[in-house]
């Protein structure tokens, strides 16, 4: 994927070796499930540790997730701009935490070297952020492939597809499962555009292939047709600009979900 800008995956999606998409997760202890799901999606994990508070229980939990999904780890020590920051103490504490996890058999990777090479940053003053990004690029360049866990097209043989069609399914909108899709994406957020419109907006990361406006899609037990695609733009990447397609690694917002009103009980995976 890093050999040429025009590299493509098995589904024909273009892979840009220079693109980095960040998935930011809350650090609060209540969001462990969210961090674990994000780790399963990531190719490289940046573990942010505050020099004000040091290595916490959430740091250990994130490392367990990283070991589970075989994700390489980069440590960043944040808030070095504070006058009472303890940079080397935090580094030593983090190194000890990694050592205990490895010696205790909880992880199969010894991250003490990565802890020693933790990048000191100040997110507030954007100090050393370029150094951190370069470290991410260097780590990604050492991976055998990107994305690390490419998504296989959810297709089956014609014989299996015929058997599936004979089974009555109350909420399954997926048809033509013996036909390979043109793209596979992971939904990371579901929200309403507004109470007045009532339109559902899906935030996705494209994992394989290419999403194009006008395509039909299936998500969970719902379906739809893409009516709008938007990508994050601007210096702060908080503004969304309309686009007509999105390829591997791109985060997009998508509308066009069609849901039906179901009376009584619903399936657990109804969106």
């Amino acid at each position: 994927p890093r050999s040429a800008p025009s590299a493509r995956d098995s589904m024909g999606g273009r892979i840009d070796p220079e693109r980095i998409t960040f998935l930011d997760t809350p650090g609060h202890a209540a969001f462990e499930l969210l961090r674990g799901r994000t780790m399963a999606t990531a190719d490289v994990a940046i573990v942010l540790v505050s020099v004000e508070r040091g290595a916490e229980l959430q740091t250990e939990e994130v490392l367990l997730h990283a070991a589970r999904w075989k994700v390489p780890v980069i440590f960043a020590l944040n808030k070095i701009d504070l006058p009472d920051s303890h940079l080397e103490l935090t580094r030593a504490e983090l190194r000890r935490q990694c050592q205990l996890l490895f010696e205790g058999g909880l992880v199969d990777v010894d991250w003490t070297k990565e802890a020693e090479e933790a990048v000191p940053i100040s997110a507030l003053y954007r100090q050393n952020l370029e150094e951190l990004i370069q470290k991410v690029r260097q780590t990604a360049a050492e991976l055998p492939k990107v994305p690390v866990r490419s998504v296989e097209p959810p297709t089956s043989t014609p014989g299996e597809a015929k058997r599936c069609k004979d089974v009555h399914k109350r909420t399954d909108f997926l048809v033509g499962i013996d036909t390979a899709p043109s793209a596979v994406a992971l939904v990371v957020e579901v929200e309403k555009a507004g109470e007045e419109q009532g339109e559902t907006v899906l935030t996705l990361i494209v994992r394989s292939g290419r999403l194009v406006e006008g395509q039909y899609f299936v998500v969970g037990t719902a379906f739809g047709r893409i009516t709008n695609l938007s990508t994050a733009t601007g210096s702060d990447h908080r503004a969304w600009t309309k686009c007509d397609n999105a390829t591997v690694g791109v985060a997009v917002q998508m509308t066009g979900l069609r849901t039906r009103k179901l009376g009584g009980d619903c399936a657990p995976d109804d969106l």
Side-chain angles (χ1 to χ4, degrees), residues 2 21 41 70 98 119 127 144 172 205 255:
R2 289 163 294 280
T21 300
T41 308
K70 310 295 183 186
C98 294
V119 181
Q127 185 177 348
D172 190 0
I205 291 186
T255 59

Side-chain angles (χ1 to χ4, degrees), residues 211-232:
L211 286 178
V212 180
E213 185 175 332
Q215 288 177 331
Y216 286 94
F217 65 90
V218 174
V219 52
T221 55
F223 76 105
R225 186 177 186 181
I226 302 175
T227 57
N228 183 70
L229 285 174
S230 301
T231 57

Side-chain angles (χ1 to χ4, degrees), residues 170 173 192 198 258-266 270:
R170 181 169 60 87
F173 292 107
K192 288 286 187 181
R258 301 176 185 176
T259 56
R260 61 177 181 177
K261 301 295 183 181
L262 297 175
D265 296 334
C266 296
D270 281 333

Side-chain angles (χ1 to χ4, degrees), residues 5-257:
S6 59
R8 296 182 180 274
D9 67 0
S10 59
M11 297 177 66
R14 181 177 176 273
I15 300 175
D16 183 356
E18 298 300 317
R19 172 180 290 276
I20 300 178
T21 300
F22 290 92
L23 288 176
D24 187 21
T25 59
H28 193 277
F31 295 97
E32 177 184 358
L33 183 61
L34 178 59
R35 288 189 291 271
R37 188 166 182 261
T38 303
M39 189 70 73
T41 308
D43 299 315
V44 178
I46 302 176
V47 180
L48 205 62
V49 180
S50 169
V51 296
E52 183 182 30
R53 305 181 65 173
E56 299 181 282
L57 183 62
Q58 293 94 295
T59 311
E60 179 178 319
E61 164 231 299
V62 166
L63 294 177
L64 292 174
H65 285 308
R68 163 69 179 83
W69 295 104
K70 310 295 183 186
V71 178
V73 170
I74 296 172
F75 292 104
L77 306 180
N78 193 24
K79 300 185 179 180
I80 61 173
D81 54 282
L82 296 178
D84 56 346
S85 62
H86 305 285
L87 181 60
E88 293 307 319
L89 179 61
T90 304
R91 196 189 299 272
E93 191 178 63
L94 184 60
R95 186 171 59 244
R96 180 59 177 164
Q97 189 178 54
C98 294
Q99 183 181 2
L100 290 175
L101 285 173
F102 181 68
E103 292 178 351
L106 296 176
V107 298
D108 55 1
V109 182
D110 186 0
W111 283 303
T112 53
K113 180 182 177 183
E114 285 79 359
E116 185 64 35
E117 298 174 350
V119 181
I121 67 169
S122 170
L124 180 62
Y125 295 102
R126 305 183 64 85
Q127 185 177 348
N128 294 339
L129 293 188
E130 282 300 323
E131 180 183 343
L132 179 60
I133 291 175
Q134 288 303 318
K135 198 169 185 65
V136 171
R137 294 189 187 282
Q138 179 184 350
T139 304
E142 296 172 356
L143 296 174
K145 65 174 183 175
V146 176
V148 174
R149 288 171 300 282
S150 57
V151 180
E152 294 299 324
T155 59
S156 63
T157 64
E160 292 173 340
K162 185 178 185 304
R163 285 195 295 271
C164 288
K165 291 176 182 178
D166 295 335
V167 177
H168 177 68
K169 298 179 286 297
R170 181 169 60 87
T171 59
D172 190 0
F173 292 107
L174 184 60
V175 294
I177 58 175
D178 55 331
T179 304
S182 58
V184 176
L186 177 71
V187 179
V188 295
E189 187 178 37
V190 181
E191 61 181 344
K192 288 286 187 181
E195 293 184 2
E196 297 80 7
Q197 304 94 323
E199 189 171 28
T200 303
V201 178
L202 306 178
T203 303
L204 319 166
I205 291 186
V206 183
R207 300 297 288 170
S208 299
R210 186 166 68 107
L211 286 178
V212 180
E213 185 175 332
Q215 288 177 331
Y216 286 94
F217 65 90
V218 174
V219 52
T221 55
F223 76 105
R225 186 177 186 181
I226 302 175
T227 57
N228 183 70
L229 285 174
S230 301
T231 57
T233 57
S235 58
D236 58 357
H237 292 92
R238 294 178 182 176
W240 293 87
T241 303
K242 182 178 173 59
C243 63
D244 56 6
N245 69 87
T247 188
V248 182
V250 178
V252 292
Q253 285 190 339
M254 182 180 77
T255 59
L257 187 68

